[in-house]
Amino acid sequence: MALDQGRVMEQLTAGQELATSLYRYQTDFSVPLGLALAYLLREEWSQMTCSSAGEQVSDCFDLMTLCLNLWGRSFSGTVQAWDQYWDKEAENLSLALTDTWLTGNPERLKEFLSRQAHIVHQVAHGLPEAIQAIEQAFGFHFKASDVAGETERFFLYRVEPTHPQIAVQQTAKPILIIPPFVLGSNILAFLPKENKSYAHAFANQGIPTYIRVMKDIQKTPACQTMTMEEDILDIRHFCEQIMTIHGKKVTLNGYCQGGFTSVCAILSNELDLSVDALITCVAPMDGTRSQGLSGFLNSLPPRFNRLCYGTKVLPSGNSVADGQLMGWVYKLKSIETEAPLPALLKDAILVKNGNISKTAAALNFWLKNERSDIPLNIARMSFNSFTIPVTKEGVLPVRPFGRTLNFKGIREKNMPWLLCYGENDDLVEKEAALAPLDFLKVETSPFPKGHVAIATSWSNPSSDYALDKKFGNASQYRGPVRFQLDLNQDSGAPT
């Protein structure tokens, strides 16, 4: 009887934990929805007299139609996620019920129920605890001595090798990494101690490695009001500093949005004296070719497809793009898998297969915590790149310093460019990343998996697509670290 009471309590506890987990996942999804509604009402109130009542009703009807479409996709994704989860579990339940019916022995059914209770417990407690515990292992943990430079808006940090036996070669060709604003810089130092770090993959080869990190936007008005021109001038300042230290021009390396920024900076001609090579990884060179994000933005009624519907006002009075809301837009784009119940079931599949790996915990930590607000001018640049296509002549949709930027300018500078992309990237599809190939010859390297695999899976030197190796048929592709090492060898520096 005591055993039966224990089973009953186990199942009651599991039910409570399941309800709590569902509430948590629903809240994570709904909080940005509340923000979106607040911004919508604010903007609609301020623009009430700017359009007729008929236009307002028509636009709101179109928005409601979009919401219903998203709800339908969410429902479809929920059904699919449920089927995927129960594909194996239903068979186990059927065998347990059959065994109980035929033999009268309920042990197999009890084991099944206990296993489900354990999965629920892991989702409710085990996974959050693992995510919290991984914080010290995830990302950069710079010290004051790592600061190599500073502007009003950014810190320049040296990335030191994680292996004490490796020394940085001071006369080698240096590299400056420009991380994305949206994803943050810490994704490029995923798990350094586990040999899964994009930035440390360079440093651990003795390459002088630097990364530019934006200051806390909440506390730094200069970040809040930053323009694209200031962004580029800060890159130039750091590149000049690095070149002075190492005596060689810098390789500029942009990841995701940082890649687009890097290309714009080079094409602006501001880096001609300090940069002579370029690496971009999963960078949206023409965001309008992205079927996912660009497609979602284009599905919005034009009235609501503006940055003002995603901005918030800080205590300083400056407006910035709400990072939490921008992260939510990515969820809406993939709502079939990011709606509350599919997200919970995805995590249930993750934990039911065994212990929660450090990789899984780190990915979840990044997804939950690495979202910051974005300078409005920078968000506008990114927004333009996803809504205004590159022209047939190769002209980009942004004009820093009032200058026309054309992809062909890279060819005129005779600058080597390695363009890396993800074969199954659903955030920056390869069509968006490979847009420059329409206008000039660029060395490309395709990597399996998605948007952050280069910074996670393939940053491990023992992986099949290690960044410091050649891969593919006849080894025709180079990883970004291999590209940098070869540039260093070509310059006559020791490797």
Side-chain angles (χ1 to χ4, degrees):
M1 187 67 175
L3 180 60
D4 291 338
Q5 289 178 345
R7 296 287 185 183
V8 170
M9 289 302 300
E10 181 183 59
Q11 296 307 311
L12 287 174
T13 301
Q16 292 175 340
E17 291 177 333
L18 179 59
T20 301
S21 297
L22 278 171
Y23 177 77
R24 186 177 80 243
Y25 281 79
Q26 183 64 51
T27 300
D28 289 344
F29 191 85
S30 299
V31 167
L33 172 61
L35 291 173
L37 288 174
Y39 298 153
L40 175 69
L41 293 174
R42 178 195 66 192
E43 291 303 316
E44 287 301 296
W45 180 262
S46 67
Q47 300 177 41
M48 186 170 292
T49 60
C50 296
S51 58
S52 67
E55 289 174 329
Q56 293 176 19
V57 170
S58 176
D59 289 338
C60 288
F61 180 79
D62 290 341
L63 182 61
M64 184 172 63
T65 301
L66 173 63
C67 291
L68 288 173
N69 175 262
L70 288 172
W71 182 88
R73 290 170 51 196
S74 171
F75 180 79
S76 174
T78 298
V79 171
Q80 184 176 358
W82 183 261
D83 287 344
Q84 181 181 1
Y85 179 81
W86 278 103
D87 182 46
K88 183 64 177 177
E89 297 301 322
E91 180 183 348
N92 292 334
L93 176 59
S94 177
L95 291 173
L97 290 172
T98 301
D99 194 46
T100 302
W101 177 263
L102 294 178
T103 67
N105 185 354
E107 285 305 314
R108 192 165 184 173
L109 180 59
K110 291 177 180 179
E111 290 175 6
F112 175 84
L113 294 174
S114 292
R115 183 168 181 271
Q116 299 307 311
H118 175 71
I119 292 172
V120 170
H121 179 79
Q122 285 292 84
V123 171
H125 300 287
L127 184 58
E129 290 170 4
I131 292 171
Q132 184 176 4
I134 204 67
E135 181 176 3
Q136 293 304 312
F138 171 80
F140 294 106
H141 294 275
F142 289 118
K143 306 181 296 293
S145 59
D146 295 324
V147 177
E150 180 181 2
T151 66
E152 287 186 274
R153 292 156 290 274
F154 295 96
F155 286 112
L156 176 69
Y157 288 108
R158 280 185 299 269
V159 180
E160 299 293 343
T162 56
H163 306 298
Q165 70 273 20
I166 296 174
V168 174
Q169 301 170 19
Q170 295 299 321
T171 59
K173 182 174 176 54
I175 189 166
L176 172 61
I177 299 172
I178 306 297
F181 287 95
V182 177
L183 303 183
S185 60
N186 281 324
I187 189 64
L188 302 181
F190 184 64
L191 289 172
K193 298 298 184 182
E194 304 294 321
N195 278 328
K196 290 184 177 181
S197 168
Y198 182 84
H200 291 90
F202 289 91
N204 286 336
Q205 292 289 335
I207 297 168
T209 305
Y210 297 83
I211 188 167
R212 191 189 73 160
V213 178
M214 189 174 72
K215 294 181 178 180
D216 186 346
I217 193 171
Q218 303 296 324
K219 302 176 181 178
T220 314
C223 289
Q224 300 163 12
T225 60
M226 177 169 51
T227 64
M228 188 176 182
E229 288 80 5
E230 290 171 330
D231 189 6
I232 291 172
L233 291 176
D234 283 353
I235 292 177
R236 185 184 74 181
H237 175 72
F238 288 147
C239 287
E240 290 172 349
Q241 275 191 296
I242 295 169
M243 187 175 68
T244 299
I245 294 171
H246 298 282
K248 288 184 173 63
K249 287 188 175 182
V250 178
T251 298
L252 196 61
N253 181 188
Y255 200 99
C256 187
Q257 184 188 21
F260 184 76
T261 299
S262 298
V263 169
C264 291
I266 289 172
L267 291 176
S268 74
N269 300 323
E270 291 294 324
L271 309 183
D272 287 354
L273 300 180
S274 56
V275 173
D276 63 355
L278 172 65
I279 301 171
T280 58
C281 294
V282 294
M285 293 301 159
D286 185 348
T288 65
R289 303 188 188 192
S290 167
Q291 296 300 313
L293 184 55
S294 179
F296 173 78
L297 293 174
N298 289 332
S299 69
L300 286 167
R303 177 190 185 91
F304 305 111
N305 193 3
R306 292 184 290 163
L307 274 177
C308 59
Y309 289 94
T311 63
K312 71 178 182 182
V313 181
L314 298 178
S316 63
N318 295 322
S319 295
V320 296
D322 192 313
Q324 188 176 14
L325 191 60
M326 293 189 71
W328 188 62
V329 169
Y330 294 120
K331 286 189 175 184
L332 291 181
K333 177 188 74 68
S334 304
I335 196 168
E336 292 88 349
T337 58
E338 297 298 334
L341 187 54
L344 186 153
L345 291 172
K346 182 169 57 177
D347 285 343
I349 293 173
L350 170 69
V351 301
K352 81 174 184 178
N353 292 326
N355 294 328
I356 301 165
S357 68
K358 290 183 178 180
T359 297
L363 276 172
N364 277 274
F365 180 88
W366 169 65
L367 290 170
K368 293 178 183 297
N369 298 285
E370 295 291 309
R371 292 292 181 270
S372 66
D373 298 329
I374 303 167
L376 197 57
N377 291 312
I378 301 302
R380 186 173 292 113
M381 172 202 73
S382 183
F383 182 79
N384 288 343
S385 72
F386 274 91
T387 55
I388 304 173
V390 174
T391 70
K392 294 180 180 179
E393 292 74 30
V395 177
L396 279 66
V398 292
R399 290 175 55 85
F401 309 102
R403 301 168 189 168
T404 298
L405 308 185
N406 191 308
F407 280 129
K408 298 174 184 176
I410 302 289
R411 181 177 61 201
E412 295 167 3
K413 297 177 187 298
N414 196 29
M415 180 177 292
W417 179 0
L418 176 67
L419 190 159
C420 303
Y421 63 96
E423 289 277 20
N424 299 305
D425 193 339
D426 63 356
L427 183 58
V428 177
E429 293 93 333
K430 63 181 181 181
E431 293 80 6
L434 294 174
L437 272 64
D438 289 352
F439 312 100
L440 71 162
K441 186 176 181 180
V442 175
E443 180 180 350
T444 62
S445 287
F447 283 84
K449 297 187 179 181
H451 193 67
V452 297
I454 297 175
T456 55
S457 301
W458 313 132
S459 290
N460 191 328
S462 63
S463 68
D464 292 338
Y465 300 89
L467 305 186
D468 62 331
K469 301 292 192 303
K470 293 182 178 181
F471 56 89
N473 294 331
S475 300
Q476 75 268 42
Y477 302 121
R478 291 190 286 180
V481 176
R482 181 72 264 161
F483 179 79
Q484 178 70 3
L485 290 170
D486 291 344
L487 289 175
N488 185 58
Q489 189 174 35
D490 292 343
S491 70
T495 56

